[in-house]
Amino acid sequence: MKKTLLTAVMAAAALAGAAQDSKMDEFVSSLMQKMTIEEKIGQLTLQVAGDITTGSVQSSPVTERIAAGRMGGVFNVKGAGKIRQLQDIAVKQTRLGIPLLVGMDVVHGYETIFPIPLAMSCSWDTLAIERSARIAAKEASADGINWTYSPMVDISMDARWGRVAEGSGEDPYLGSCIARAMVRGYQGDYSGKADIMACVKHFALYGAVEAGKDYNTVDMSRMRMYNRYFPPYRAAVDAGAGSFMTSFNLVDGIPATGNRWLLTDVLRKQWGFDGFVVTDYESLMEMTRHGVGDLASVSVQALKAGTDMEMCSEGFYKTLGQSLKDGRVSTDDIDRACRRVLEAKYKLGLFADPYKYCDESRHATDVYTAENRAEARELAAKTFVLLKNEGGLLPLKKQGKIALIGPLADNAANLCGTWCVAYTPERYSTLRQGLERAVGGKATVLYAQGCNLTRDAALQKAAEFGRTIPRGDDEAMKAEALRVAAGADVIVCAMGECSDMTGESSSRVDLELPDVQRELLAELLKLGKPVVLLNFSGRPTVMTWEQARVPAIMNVWFGGSEAADAICDVLFGDRVPSGKLTMTMPQAVGQIPLYYNHMSTGRPVPEGIKSYRKYQSNYLDVRNDPLYPFGYGLSYTTFKYSEPRLSADSMAVDGSVKVSVDVTNTGERDADEVVQLYIRDLVAKISRPVKELKGFSRVHIKAGETRTVEFTIVPDMLKYYDSELNYGLDAGEFTVMTGPDSRRVKGCKLTVY
Ligand code: BGC
């Protein structure tokens, strides 16, 4: 009965959708009949609104082009008032009054800044992540933005690549869950004023740049693409993402922006994507540098491949008209792209109301509100990963003298991380301010910066990218810090990377704590007092030295506008840490790429082996194990896991089986735990990973309580793409594992017949 009702509702929704589609088709077709070829090519053009970002909108090349009806969209301009003026030009001064797409990199919040995406993924809380995207959309739309260049769903296993900060880590399953959550959060159903269009990036494989060097080349088997890198992009399509952004790199030797197999065969034909594709910043023009043709040829190639809109290159704008005359592209090619851009505007409701997102009164009520900030603070606290806590040093008590030391201790802008185009750091607290507030007079906070960010001033300047941290004489700063710390009961170090040491164009080869910071930490440890290291980072840091010496280490990433309060919430135990790593933390940079779901070799070395093994797959100088594995993170309480139990020892290839595990909170604090499910396919047509995440559940467990967590194993969790790219599963043996991280798992055998 229920099912019949559901089917009827779904059928009605499908009908309504089809009716909506046919209305859209009719509208767009009739509009396109009126458009000149120049106007159509104009719709394929996106420019940064750089020269109109300050003051009010003035005449400029961008506004002139809008007025000529030859611009599809602009991006990175802030303020509903300014955007209204731009829409005014598009709507009132052009022949056909087609409104603009207005984009921005709203990547982890707008003015209320959420933790960087890598950090958010460590919460494993997809509902909270969806809410963060919702809030980002609400704030951005209140300010005139209707299109965000997010989510970034590139899988990466290379911590040298600075852009790992923007993604959800190394795992395709978790990455897919988060991709869906963010698309839902941004877009809603496009009907509300706070629903904006997502742009999934960077399609594809950008996270696999060789040697972790940004913009570098990529080359991999299709099997690896489909099994490891494609799932989050596909999940975003399934969630209804309205647009996709191409990546800078090559895919099978062809730049992604001009890769027809990628943009048409895979994205549209195999996955059913029906939105539009925009290039990355100048990636169309960069095809000329990849050596595949001049601007006119690459523009033809990109358009025919399935790119619909160009960002900043001007290849379409300047050459497509002539290419049409020369017969290198057809009117159909241009129409197809133009239609997709116009459809996006239609879906957003811009034709119905071009000023839908230009309500200037909303800023006061919707942006950086107490409610939004509370959500950001709560989520930030869930992203911190407690890596070590010897003798239960944390949480700290609000008493005595607390020395706060380090270059990240008193700087709000550097708590926010990469991509904060619209942020207002002057309103955010520094950690020092947050700490003062948290102790509320019950303890004394002593402070010293202690050292520069890095000894090398030029490196610091490049890394800061404008968000400066004061420089001083290292020796004098150290002496002051040691004097301050000597009078304290506990030392809290705020050290690590600054915001722009990760993000775009911020690849690094040395992933340890920067020189002067490590030296200061060593001196502080010699004082013999309890030391807590708060590690700020946008990537896995190599902390082998610290793990051996520092009693308590918590990775706090870049927690956003509310990071200071959130850190204090966890530091003093008002909240219990529950974040778990979504990228493996190596013992040494030379191990990279190091990831939990690797293949077996023919000469495998089991985890936990203490010494080198000749003629086995290992290094002479470092064991294979990570320092902290994927999924790892401590709590202020402890959990005990039972062996996993299957509802049946076997399942049919089209059947299902349940696996359950009892998790007991054996400590004294109520807390959240992220329970993880991994599966290994023991014998298959191709070599399969030693384990793969296939489920997780964030559960709240009271002290002393036991909760049974259950997962249903369905065939899809056992399927993979083989070398012919057939998707399927093999009957045979599987190991089903549950545990608190990817290392400490307990397994049982499942037979599939
Ligand atoms: C980045 C994109 C970003 C775009 C627009 C590019 O450099 O790679 O991620 O969306 O700029 O700002």
Side-chain angles (χ1 to χ4, degrees):
M1 176 67 198
K2 251 190 190 159
K3 214 171 175 181
T4 332
L5 187 67
L6 193 69
T7 322
V9 171
M10 279 164 63
L15 268 178
Q20 163 82 0
D21 282 358
S22 79
K23 269 172 82 182
M24 176 168 79
D25 280 353
E26 240 173 74
F27 178 87
V28 171
S29 299
S30 107
L31 177 60
M32 282 178 59
Q33 272 167 21
K34 296 179 211 139
M35 292 173 81
T36 63
I37 202 72
E38 286 75 26
E39 284 165 341
K40 287 176 182 169
I41 294 170
Q43 287 303 310
L44 316 186
T45 306
L46 171 70
Q47 281 291 343
V48 79
D51 49 351
I52 45 173
T53 47
T54 51
S56 85
V57 173
Q58 320 225 328
S59 177
S60 71
V62 172
T63 55
E64 278 161 25
R65 210 180 277 182
I66 298 172
R70 299 198 60 191
M71 184 84 88
V74 293
F75 71 107
N76 286 357
V77 54
K78 191 179 179 196
K82 252 178 256 170
I83 292 170
R84 173 179 280 277
Q85 291 179 49
L86 292 172
Q87 289 293 22
D88 255 343
I89 302 175
V91 172
K92 296 189 181 148
Q93 295 183 25
T94 67
R95 219 170 58 83
L96 297 168
I98 301 174
L100 296 163
L101 285 173
V102 184
M104 186 185 272
D105 290 280
V106 182
V107 173
H108 52 113
Y110 184 74
E111 284 191 17
T112 302
I113 300 290
F114 284 83
I116 52 165
L118 179 62
M120 281 204 274
S121 71
C122 293
S123 74
W124 302 57
D125 189 339
T126 50
L127 289 175
I129 293 172
E130 182 172 338
R131 285 198 300 275
S132 81
R134 195 83 218 115
I135 289 170
K138 188 174 180 190
E139 294 197 359
S141 61
D143 246 10
I145 305 298
N146 52 40
W147 184 31
T148 178
Y149 306 141
S150 172
M152 188 281 217
V153 304
D154 303 319
I155 295 294
S156 182
M157 296 144 218
D158 197 327
R160 293 170 297 183
W161 191 47
R163 302 200 78 168
V164 297
E166 301 173 47
S168 295
E170 72 194 30
D171 185 68
Y173 176 79
L174 178 62
S176 300
C177 296
I178 293 175
R180 279 190 289 268
M182 294 194 77
V183 169
R184 278 196 302 264
Y186 288 132
Q187 296 190 163
D189 63 1
Y190 296 131
S191 66
K193 285 191 168 192
D195 297 343
I196 64 177
M197 189 168 279
C199 184
V200 179
K201 65 190 190 186
H202 307 81
F203 196 56
L205 319 178
Y206 187 19
V209 283
E210 276 182 7
K213 189 172 67 174
D214 210 0
Y215 316 121
N216 205 4
T217 216
V218 170
D219 194 7
M220 71 170 75
S221 72
R222 290 210 172 163
M223 200 171 55
R224 195 173 175 89
M225 294 179 199
Y226 275 86
N227 284 321
R228 205 176 273 275
Y229 285 83
F230 279 174
Y233 305 111
R234 171 142 201 197
V237 172
D238 292 343
S243 67
F244 259 63
M245 185 187 292
T246 63
S247 57
F248 291 118
N249 52 277
L250 306 179
V251 173
D252 282 339
I254 302 171
T257 303
N259 193 314
R260 189 178 158 82
W261 173 76
L262 185 70
L263 302 181
T264 297
D265 296 352
V266 175
L267 184 61
R268 294 193 184 275
K269 294 191 184 151
Q270 291 174 19
W271 299 350
F273 175 66
D274 66 355
F276 75 101
V277 172
V278 64
T279 73
D280 200 350
Y281 204 106
E282 293 191 335
S283 68
L284 175 67
M285 177 280 290
E286 288 177 14
M287 285 175 67
T288 63
R289 301 191 187 139
H290 283 294
V292 293
D294 61 13
L295 194 61
S297 320
V298 299
S299 300
V300 171
Q301 183 182 341
L303 183 73
K304 286 190 173 285
T307 289
D308 303 306
M309 184 181 238
E310 63 173 350
M311 185 192 288
C312 300
S313 289
E314 305 215 308
F316 283 179
Y317 186 79
K318 288 188 175 146
T319 69
L320 280 189
Q322 187 58 44
S323 293
L324 180 67
K325 287 184 194 137
D326 297 344
R328 299 176 75 188
V329 293
S330 64
T331 318
D332 280 355
D333 292 327
I334 294 170
D335 279 1
R336 191 177 50 238
C338 176
R339 175 176 289 276
R340 289 177 186 150
V341 173
L342 294 176
E343 281 178 355
K345 296 180 177 184
Y346 185 95
K347 288 178 197 160
L348 281 168
L350 289 172
F351 288 110
D353 177 8
Y355 303 101
K356 176 177 167 194
Y357 300 96
C358 298
D359 178 351
E360 283 163 78
S361 70
R362 278 184 60 202
H363 188 95
T365 54
D366 289 3
V367 179
Y368 198 57
T369 60
E371 213 186 344
N372 297 354
R373 293 179 57 197
E375 192 79 50
R377 177 172 174 172
E378 197 181 323
L379 179 48
K382 289 180 181 169
T383 67
F384 305 146
V385 183
L386 184 61
L387 297 170
K388 181 177 175 190
N389 194 17
E390 203 171 80
L393 172 53
L394 289 177
L396 298 180
K397 295 200 174 59
K398 293 178 184 172
Q399 66 183 33
K401 290 185 181 154
I402 303 170
L404 177 66
I405 314 278
L408 279 316
D410 202 17
N411 192 303
N414 276 300
L415 296 185
C416 293
T418 182
W419 282 130
C420 311
V421 180
Y423 82 153
T424 54
E426 59 290 349
R427 289 197 287 181
Y428 312 153
S429 296
T430 71
L431 179 57
R432 182 185 182 186
Q433 291 164 334
L435 199 59
E436 293 276 7
R437 197 157 49 225
V439 299
K442 293 191 201 131
T444 309
V445 176
L446 311 169
Y447 165 75
Q449 182 179 318
C451 62
N452 291 309
L453 183 73
T454 58
R455 177 172 285 113
D456 178 351
L459 172 60
Q460 176 166 339
K461 188 154 184 274
E464 287 169 341
F465 201 55
R467 295 191 247 192
T468 51
I469 294 171
R471 276 194 76 84
D473 175 71
D474 278 313
E475 285 310 310
M477 289 164 100
K478 192 199 292 175
E480 191 209 347
L482 290 173
R483 187 181 51 72
V484 166
D489 301 305
V490 58
I491 303 168
V492 176
C493 296
M495 295 182 170
E497 300 185 311
C498 64
S499 279
D500 285 289
M501 272 166 114
T502 44
E504 188 173 350
S505 189
S506 292
S507 295
R508 295 175 63 207
V509 296
D510 177 359
L511 303 186
E512 300 197 10
L513 206 59
D515 45 23
V516 275
Q517 298 192 48
R518 163 77 66 70
E519 286 162 28
L520 173 62
L521 181 59
E523 293 297 319
L524 290 168
L525 285 166
K526 284 189 198 151
L527 295 175
K529 296 177 188 276
V531 174
V532 178
L533 171 61
L534 299 175
N535 186 54
F536 291 79
S537 74
R539 57 157 60 85
T541 310
V542 172
M543 283 194 284
T544 308
W545 187 95
E546 289 76 11
Q547 166 67 23
R549 296 169 180 80
V550 183
I553 309 174
M554 186 157 71
N555 224 79
V556 292
W557 315 108
F558 296 109
S561 56
E562 314 310 311
D565 290 331
I567 291 171
C568 295
D569 290 343
V570 177
L571 205 55
F572 294 110
D574 298 322
R575 287 185 184 276
V576 180
S578 58
K580 303 237 188 181
L581 295 177
T582 58
M583 273 192 91
T584 302
M585 287 206 176
Q587 299 183 62
V589 174
Q591 292 178 294
I592 292 174
L594 184 68
Y595 47 98
Y596 86 94
N597 49 355
H598 59 85
M599 300 297 175
S600 178
T601 65
R603 298 184 177 195
V605 175
E607 278 191 54
I609 296 297
K610 297 274 176 275
S611 54
Y612 163 72
R613 292 198 169 175
K614 190 79 177 164
Y615 300 122
Q616 301 298 306
S617 179
N618 58 169
Y619 301 100
L620 268 172
D621 49 352
V622 172
R623 302 286 59 80
N624 287 345
D625 303 345
L627 185 62
Y628 307 113
F630 176 86
Y632 172 86
L634 303 173
S635 170
Y636 291 158
T637 189
T638 44
F639 297 100
K640 195 170 138 264
Y641 279 65
S642 73
E643 299 286 334
R645 293 181 303 273
L646 289 170
S647 58
D649 294 341
S650 58
M651 72 177 245
V653 283
D654 55 353
S656 71
V657 71
K658 289 197 163 59
V659 56
S660 45
V661 56
D662 301 328
V663 185
T664 307
N665 182 339
T666 48
E668 272 149 33
R669 297 285 313 254
D670 300 351
D672 284 3
E673 168 72 343
V674 179
V675 180
Q676 300 159 38
L677 166 72
Y678 297 89
I679 297 182
R680 177 173 190 175
D681 187 350
L682 289 168
V683 182
K685 285 209 268 316
I686 59 166
S687 188
R688 302 282 296 124
V690 295
K691 55 175 80 102
E692 290 177 295
L693 182 75
K694 291 295 173 182
F696 59 90
S697 177
R698 202 187 150 94
V699 283
H700 187 74
I701 312 180
K702 294 211 169 72
E705 191 195 357
T706 297
R707 285 197 55 180
T708 302
V709 177
E710 192 177 87
F711 301 97
T712 304
I713 298 175
V714 294
D716 228 31
M717 293 178 173
L718 311 177
K719 288 184 181 168
Y720 63 89
Y721 289 90
D722 66 18
S723 2
E724 266 76 56
L725 302 184
N726 296 313
Y727 186 61
L729 69 93
D730 302 313
E733 308 277 286
F734 292 78
T735 311
V736 175
M737 295 159 267
T738 49
D741 59 53
S742 63
R743 182 151 64 192
R744 285 178 302 154
V745 289
K746 293 178 177 163
C748 56
K749 201 183 275 179
L750 170 68
T751 307
V752 175
Y753 59 90

